[in-house]
């Protein structure tokens, strides 16, 4: 009896071991076939502080900052706008939200902010926010959360303040106060390539910054942008890196620093005397 029982138990253990080994082999095989990337796509911003965002958040932050500069709003306004978008949407262009709230700032069509389609346009949403902020008397002297609340009228008026430090770091970087401050890691499959990427990059850079026709595709492989000074050069360079994933940017160079998608960071390069006042960007070639 005992011998038979031990035999049954031993047989059960063997079956369990076979099952475990089988599961492990399947998991290993699936993992090998999926080949999941080990590098996380993200952007690191360093400007008297450090902020990490994913590519979508970084691109939206860059557009919000650029629209503020285009409207000639002071840096403080950009800090308030970024802190508001941080709190309302996590810097994501949401299709919905509480009741009929939409977009980066969760603006509501029923409260006169515009149609849902228009509010989903980051440039439109940012412009509407800055316009409303500008009408708030004394907003420049208010705390970030108080200025944001006067525009948003949130049920949580203190919520914006917790994003003030991160928004200050982003503002300093995106408005060109710090060199080589935005570094993004780009995935193996950018959203665009070739001529389409170069054309979209040129168009959106022009729209975000309110430029004339100074940014022009260079043989449909990228663009070259003339700058008036170092600060403007770094504004555009950081914008280009911020939009690297969604616009297929492979390389950005300004002065003696160059960012590449392969390394995801800025490195010193030999200075080109003829490119002192130019930002050069290259996009990924067609497959």
């Amino acid at each position: 009896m005992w011998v038979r029982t031990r035999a049954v138990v031993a047989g059960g253990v063997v079956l369990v071991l076979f099952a475990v080994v089988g599961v492990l082999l399947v998991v290993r095989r699936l993992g090998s076939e999926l080949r999941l990337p080990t590098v996380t796509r993200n952007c690191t911003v360093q400007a008297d502080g450090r902020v990490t965002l994913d590519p979508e958040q970084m691109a939206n932050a860059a557009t919000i900052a650029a629209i503020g500069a285009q409207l000639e709003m002071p840096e403080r306004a950009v800090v308030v706008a970024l802190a508001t978008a941080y709190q309302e949407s996590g810097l994501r262009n949401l299709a919905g939200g509480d009741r009929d709230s939409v977009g980066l700032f969760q603006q509501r069509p029923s409260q006169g902010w515009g149609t849902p389609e228009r509010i989903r346009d980051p440039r439109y949403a940012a412009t509407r926010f800055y316009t409303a902020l500008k009408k708030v008397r004394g907003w420049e002297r208010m705390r970030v959360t108080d200025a944001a609340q006067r525009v948003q009228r949130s049920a949580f008026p203190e919520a914006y303040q917790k994003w003030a430090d991160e928004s200050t770091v982003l503002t300093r970087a995106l408005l060109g106060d710090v060199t080589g401050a935005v570094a993004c890691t780009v995935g193996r499959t950018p959203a665009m390539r070739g001529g389409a990427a170069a054309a979209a990059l040129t168009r959106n850079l022009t729209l975000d910054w309110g430029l004339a026709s100074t940014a022009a595709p260079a043989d449909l492989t990228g663009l070259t942008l003339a700058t008036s000074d170092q600060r403007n050069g770094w504004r555009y360079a950081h914008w280009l890196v911020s939009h690297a994933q969604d616009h297929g940017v492979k390389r950005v160079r300004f002065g003696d620093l160059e960012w590449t998608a392969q390394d995801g960071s800025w490195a010193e390069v030999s200075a080109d005397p003829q490119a002192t006042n130019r930002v050069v960007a290259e996009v990924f070639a067609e497959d």
Side-chain angles (χ1 to χ4, degrees):
M1 182 68 176
W2 283 105
V3 173
R4 183 177 180 183
T5 301
R6 290 175 63 183
V8 171
V9 171
V13 170
V14 171
L15 289 175
V16 170
L17 287 174
F18 273 119
V20 170
V21 171
V23 169
L24 290 175
L25 289 174
V26 170
V27 170
R28 183 177 180 181
R29 181 179 178 182
L30 287 175
S32 175
E33 290 177 353
L34 290 173
R35 293 176 184 171
L36 297 175
T38 56
V39 179
T40 302
R41 284 178 277 180
N42 59 36
C43 298
T44 301
V45 183
Q46 302 221 34
D48 294 333
R50 180 186 175 96
V51 173
T52 301
L53 301 174
D54 66 28
E56 178 190 356
Q57 293 172 308
M58 192 71 243
N60 287 328
T63 290
I64 290 171
I67 295 299
Q70 181 183 161
L71 296 174
E72 299 183 345
M73 297 294 287
E75 287 196 13
R76 179 72 171 175
V78 176
V79 173
V80 175
L82 288 171
T84 302
Y86 246 127
Q87 173 60 26
E88 296 290 355
S89 68
L91 289 171
R92 301 185 190 283
N93 194 13
L94 302 179
D98 181 43
R99 286 172 283 190
D100 60 337
S101 299
V102 180
L104 285 168
F105 297 91
Q106 288 292 277
Q107 295 156 332
R108 298 180 60 189
S110 63
Q111 294 183 347
W113 288 98
T115 64
E117 292 75 21
R118 299 197 73 184
I119 296 173
R120 284 293 306 282
D121 178 352
R123 298 184 190 97
Y124 172 87
T127 298
R128 288 298 308 269
F129 179 86
Y130 287 120
T131 301
L133 179 64
K134 196 172 184 178
K135 294 178 181 178
V136 176
R137 181 175 298 179
W139 69 266
E140 302 93 334
R141 298 181 296 277
M142 296 179 182
R143 291 187 306 153
V144 167
T145 197
D146 294 334
Q149 173 63 6
R150 291 290 295 274
V151 176
Q152 298 295 107
R153 302 186 184 280
S154 168
F156 306 96
E158 290 293 322
Y160 306 103
Q161 192 64 34
K162 64 177 175 284
W163 302 111
D165 291 344
E166 287 88 343
S167 298
T168 300
V169 171
L170 288 174
T171 297
R172 283 179 49 75
L174 294 170
L175 293 186
D177 295 337
V178 185
T179 64
V182 179
C184 295
T185 301
V186 178
R188 298 175 183 174
T189 309
M192 299 183 189
R193 287 177 176 268
L201 194 66
T202 300
R203 181 177 63 254
N204 290 324
L205 177 67
T206 301
L207 290 172
D208 273 14
W209 289 99
L211 304 175
S213 56
T214 52
D219 299 325
L220 295 180
T221 61
L223 62 85
T224 299
L225 179 65
T227 65
S228 58
D229 54 42
Q230 287 284 307
R231 188 168 185 245
N232 276 336
W234 281 111
R235 288 181 174 191
Y236 305 143
H238 288 156
W239 185 96
L240 288 163
V241 175
S242 298
H243 285 274
Q245 180 64 40
D246 60 349
H247 284 73
V249 181
K250 181 180 181 181
R251 179 177 69 95
V252 177
R253 178 171 178 170
F254 182 55
D256 60 353
L257 289 177
E258 181 177 86
W259 168 90
T260 60
Q262 180 177 355
D263 296 330
S265 59
W266 291 90
E268 290 189 6
V269 292
S270 299
D272 181 356
Q274 298 181 347
T276 303
N277 297 317
R278 293 188 300 165
V279 178
V280 179
E282 178 187 353
V283 299
F284 283 94
E286 296 281 3
D287 290 331

